Amino acid sequence: MTDDTRRPGTRRPGRSEPARSAPEGRDESTEERADRRWAELLQEVRVAQTGVQILFGFLLTVVFQPRFTDLSDTDKNIYLATVVLGAVTTGALIAPVSFHRMVTGRQLKPQMVEWASRLTVIGLVFLLCTMASALLLILRVALHNAVALWIVAGLVGWFVLCWFVLPAWARRDNSRTDEG
């Protein structure tokens, strides 16, 4: 394959740049690993951004509904907290795009990927808070009783399990396999 027809990110035979072996067993340079991790992160962020944008857009319209004035002060406070959490979530999950734009071309991709990854995890934590708050508001209005809080607590537990506990368990389990 000639240099003109190579896929971006593939290695040239005999390249002078030293390759390092990544933990996944890949033979890639630091820059190639950063490129791969950036592409993977972008795909993950796209999924989260879409959901956040839909949720946040919906939240922004609630205040203009006729029934909003009928909400109790507690429900209005929950709504305000939810909107603020939605804005924070949106900021954190869009931050990797801004980060990339501001540092592109400065040979900072490995560091940028680390920061973008951290911002994405922060965004996921705030997304969990936003969803919990939105669910609490909706279920309080729909059910008019304390069962709403229990349902939200169960759903938060489910999200924590799916989003954080299972991945942490898989990482721990994998690290044990690598040691043995």
Side-chain angles (χ1 to χ4, degrees), residues 26-89:
R26 296 175 188 263
D27 185 25
E28 55 191 2
S29 70
T30 302
E31 290 80 17
E32 289 168 333
R33 183 168 192 252
D35 287 342
R36 177 181 55 81
R37 291 184 66 215
W38 177 248
E40 291 170 356
L41 182 64
L42 277 182
Q43 291 303 318
E44 295 162 3
V45 168
R46 283 183 183 127
V47 171
Q49 280 178 346
T50 301
V52 166
Q53 289 168 344
I54 291 168
L55 176 60
F56 191 54
F58 166 76
L59 288 171
L60 293 177
T61 65
V62 170
V63 74
F64 299 106
Q65 301 304 311
R67 245 186 106 195
F68 183 79
T69 56
D70 297 338
L71 291 178
S72 69
D73 287 342
T74 300
D75 290 337
K76 286 179 183 176
N77 288 334
I78 293 170
Y79 170 76
L80 293 174
T82 305
V83 169
V84 170
L85 286 167
V88 171
T89 303

